[in-house]
Amino acid sequence: MLSTKKIKFDFWTIITILVILVFALFLIYPLLTLFVNGFRDTESGVFTIANYSRFFSKRYYFSALLNSFKLTFSVTFFAVLLGLPLAYFMSFYKIKGKTALEIMIIVSMMSPNFIGAYSWILMLGRNGIVTQFFKSVFNVDFPSIYGFPGMLLVFSLKLYPFIYMYVSGALKKIDVALSEAAESLGCHGIKKIFTVIMPLVTPTVIAGALLVFMNCMADFGTPALIGEGYAVMPTMVYSEFVGESGGSANFAASMATIMVLITTTFFLVQKWYVNTKSFTMSSVRPIKPEKPRGIGSVLMHAYIYIIAGLSVIPQCVVIWTSFRKTHMQIFVDGYSFKSYRDVFGKAVSSISNTYVYGFAAILIIIVIGMLVAYLSVRRKSWLTNLIDTTAMFPYIIPGSVLGITLLLAFNKGAIVLSGTAAIIIISLVIRRMAYTLRSSSAILYQISPSMEEAAISLGDSPSKSFFKVTAKMMMPGVLSGAILSWITLINELSSSVMLYTARTRTMSVAIYNEVVRASYGTAAALASILTLTTIVSLLVFFKVSGSKDVTM
């Protein structure tokens, strides 16, 4: 006789089932729809591999993949080249103005990529400030910001802070005894760095490099604004999906599937490497920064100030140009508030949509993040581990791909969401939950289960003890992660540009549209509002978390 174990339908079992249903409907089902559509013929709907054959057989399409690899690997190399020495200098030496420099670096990291591209257009575009200066004063044609070199510059200056933040965190965990032991054995200077320090932080460098790689591979705004003839996968997928002539949703789905497979492969390889090569460091005596001396101090400070200065130039240029006078969308001499008046006259809905959708998404993220974190930490099982992994998976999915998956899944059938605010909010929740989920899990590990057990022993149900005790104690960590989720979602462009309509346009989409129309004044005003929101949100994060570190 077979015995069956009855499932106990308590509060957390019901929550587990609901979370599974939500992820199945809004993540697994859209991804399966994307995969299936990639194998469908556009005209007949029959299953075929023609879409993939077309991609790999035609150089026009396959070259976009090669271009993406060339760009992402180059950007990752230069990001490491910039961020690694910066982290070393800032960690091992007393740098004047360190706090201000770190805030500048973090602000540049959290601002959207496409604003950086737009600001460099204002400076180094065909009619840019720097371009015109060199042309009029020295009669020299300054190198163009468009194409591969421009994207390499913009991405490298935008993404090196990931390397800096990760490596800085790892260096803080190194015990000074290791350095002293190396020196006692005659290992000094550069030799000590490469034989002692670098092996310790290499897994962290790899983790940061993956983030750089993912961000560069997935970004749509920068290549769309300054890529011009240099086609990459996100712009190719976008043009194929929304193209008025020759476009094919099924062919775009096959390219999007290829992007998902690439990012997933790199993520799994990185995870395997880190798991096999990483180790735990206990910093009993953390390294104390020493005062640099001589010419080394001058060169070190010059390097740091130049890199940090170049990082915040985009934000400064955007804010400055937002106050310049414009006539027929062209900047003229003088300053005015005309661009802001235009923005609050014709783009106020984009501003309100950004905040409304953002607040709606962040509330959902907080609720789901707390529940999933509790399931993965307190109620460990293969199922809850699977839920936790599934919740983190969208972090490696390019935004444009996520937008396509949602459109393919909810454009027809029983649930039609395309063209609504709901589909944008869903994309923001799915894409930006990772920060809140990780911070919720981290804070939960620091809370003893005995607190919750005490509440249950006094008569509270498990669900009531969670809301009365655990949830309240989790809130500081949850809020710090939620603020980071908020910053990234209000700056989201890659998925929103695939999903928006005239009624649901957000600030990031409006900025992109204004730049494409060469309406740089209103674009600068909108970008300044978005930048100011990002800075204020970061200051709130620092206050809530009590830290100046932004880590993932």
Side-chain angles (χ1 to χ4, degrees):
M1 184 176 178
L2 295 174
S3 61
T4 59
K5 186 178 180 180
K6 290 185 178 180
I7 299 175
K8 184 181 179 182
F9 281 93
D10 59 5
F11 173 77
W12 288 111
T13 303
I14 295 171
I15 290 297
T16 303
I17 294 172
L18 290 176
V19 168
I20 291 172
L21 291 176
V22 169
F23 284 170
L25 179 61
F26 295 116
L27 181 58
I28 306 301
Y29 167 63
L31 284 172
L32 290 175
T33 303
L34 176 76
F35 180 76
V36 170
N37 275 272
F39 285 97
R40 285 189 183 276
D41 180 75
T42 303
E43 300 295 331
S44 63
V46 299
F47 283 92
T48 177
I49 61 170
N51 291 323
Y52 292 95
S53 299
R54 177 185 174 190
F55 177 82
F56 288 105
S57 62
K58 293 189 179 295
R59 182 173 177 80
Y60 172 72
Y61 297 111
F62 185 65
S63 63
L65 178 60
L66 298 179
N67 287 346
S68 289
F69 278 127
K70 179 183 175 182
L71 178 64
T72 50
F73 280 116
S74 299
V75 168
T76 303
F77 172 77
F78 280 101
V80 173
L81 198 63
L82 292 173
L84 197 56
L86 189 68
Y88 179 81
F89 295 151
M90 296 278 275
S91 299
F92 279 76
Y93 297 96
K94 294 179 180 179
I95 304 300
K96 295 179 181 178
K98 181 179 178 180
T99 300
L101 289 168
E102 285 191 330
I103 291 174
M104 290 165 64
I105 292 169
I106 294 170
V107 167
S108 70
M109 178 179 72
M110 300 306 294
S111 62
N113 295 349
F114 67 91
I115 286 183
Y118 157 65
S119 64
W120 284 103
I121 291 174
L122 294 177
M123 290 184 288
L124 300 178
R126 295 182 179 91
N127 294 309
I129 302 164
V130 177
T131 305
Q132 290 299 315
F133 173 79
F134 275 86
K135 183 68 175 177
S136 60
V137 176
F138 303 106
N139 196 28
V140 173
D141 292 324
F142 208 78
S144 174
I145 191 65
Y146 300 99
F148 177 82
M151 288 192 289
L152 181 60
L153 172 70
V154 172
F155 276 125
S156 298
L157 289 176
K158 174 66 178 65
L159 298 177
Y160 82 86
F162 284 108
I163 304 296
Y164 168 76
M165 297 303 297
Y166 268 59
V167 175
S168 294
L171 290 174
K172 290 175 183 176
K173 297 177 182 178
I174 296 178
D175 198 300
V176 72
L178 292 173
S179 180
E180 292 173 349
E183 291 174 356
S184 68
L185 294 172
C187 185
H188 300 275
I190 298 295
K191 186 178 180 181
K192 183 180 72 173
I193 293 173
F194 283 98
T195 58
V196 179
I197 305 299
M198 279 302 299
L200 292 174
V201 300
T202 295
T204 304
V205 174
I206 298 297
L210 176 72
L211 276 181
V212 173
F213 182 92
M214 294 294 186
N215 274 271
C216 186
M217 173 68 77
D219 187 73
F220 166 80
T222 301
L225 292 178
I226 63 175
E228 289 200 341
Y230 195 87
V232 292
M233 286 295 285
T235 53
M236 187 70 74
V237 170
Y238 174 81
S239 61
E240 196 64 36
F241 190 78
V242 303
E244 295 181 1
S245 59
S248 167
N250 296 85
F251 183 53
S254 67
M255 289 194 291
T257 302
I258 292 170
M259 289 187 69
V260 172
L261 292 175
I262 290 170
T263 54
T264 303
T265 300
F266 275 93
F267 173 74
L268 293 176
V269 169
Q270 177 266 343
K271 192 171 183 179
W272 167 82
Y273 178 84
V274 171
N275 287 340
T276 55
K277 300 294 183 181
S278 62
F279 40 81
T280 302
M281 290 186 287
S282 179
S283 179
V284 178
R285 288 192 301 151
I287 294 173
K288 293 183 179 180
E290 59 185 50
K291 188 176 181 179
R293 302 180 186 280
I295 188 66
S297 175
V298 175
L299 294 175
M300 192 184 304
H301 279 84
Y303 175 81
I304 295 170
Y305 291 159
I306 289 171
I307 298 299
L310 288 173
S311 301
V312 295
I313 278 180
Q315 287 73 32
C316 296
V317 170
V318 163
I319 294 171
W320 171 59
T321 53
S322 71
F323 292 103
R324 292 186 64 189
K325 278 186 179 180
T326 58
H327 178 69
M328 300 294 291
Q329 299 184 350
I330 299 174
F331 290 120
V332 295
D333 292 336
Y335 297 90
S336 75
F337 290 97
K338 181 179 182 300
S339 296
Y340 286 95
R341 288 196 296 269
D342 291 343
V343 162
F344 286 105
K346 66 179 183 180
V348 67
S349 62
S350 299
I351 299 173
S352 62
N353 285 345
T354 299
Y355 294 129
V356 171
Y357 300 165
F359 278 120
I362 210 67
L363 289 175
I364 297 171
I365 285 172
I366 288 173
V367 173
I368 296 180
M370 291 178 70
L371 294 175
V372 172
Y374 188 90
L375 291 174
S376 62
V377 175
R378 289 283 196 265
R379 300 176 68 87
K380 286 184 178 292
S381 68
W382 68 268
L383 186 59
T384 57
N385 287 334
L386 180 62
I387 292 172
D388 183 62
T389 303
T390 303
M392 290 298 296
F393 186 69
Y395 191 66
I396 64 172
I397 299 177
S400 55
V401 172
L402 180 62
I404 290 176
T405 63
L406 293 174
L407 283 176
L408 290 174
F410 301 114
N411 195 40
K412 58 184 178 180
I415 304 177
V416 178
L417 298 176
S418 58
T420 67
I423 198 168
I424 293 181
I425 294 172
I426 290 168
S427 73
L428 295 175
V429 171
I430 292 173
R431 186 154 161 76
R432 300 304 182 183
M433 188 189 300
Y435 287 102
T436 304
L437 179 56
R438 287 282 74 91
S439 67
S440 300
S441 298
I443 195 70
L444 197 54
Y445 278 114
Q446 300 174 22
I447 300 173
S448 174
S450 62
M451 305 291 290
E452 195 173 341
E453 293 166 358
I456 294 174
S457 68
L458 293 173
D460 285 339
S461 63
S463 59
K464 196 172 182 180
S465 67
F466 169 76
F467 289 108
K468 284 179 64 176
V469 179
T470 310
K472 290 181 179 179
M473 297 179 71
M474 288 174 66
M475 200 52 63
V478 172
L479 289 179
S480 63
I483 294 168
L484 293 183
S485 293
W486 160 262
I487 293 170
T488 55
L489 67 85
I490 62 173
N491 291 315
E492 173 65 30
L493 174 66
S494 297
S495 62
S496 299
V497 78
M498 307 292 294
L499 301 170
Y500 84 97
T501 64
R503 293 184 299 104
T504 60
R505 191 172 63 164
T506 59
M507 266 197 286
S508 58
V509 175
I511 294 167
Y512 170 74
N513 289 339
E514 293 299 297
V515 173
V516 170
R517 293 174 54 238
S519 181
Y520 294 135
T522 51
L526 281 166
S528 297
I529 295 171
L530 195 56
T531 300
L532 181 62
T533 304
T534 300
I535 293 172
V536 171
S537 301
L538 274 173
L539 294 175
V540 173
F541 167 77
F542 295 148
K543 183 70 174 177
V544 170
S545 65
S547 170
K548 293 184 177 63
D549 293 336
V550 178
T551 56
M552 175 57 200

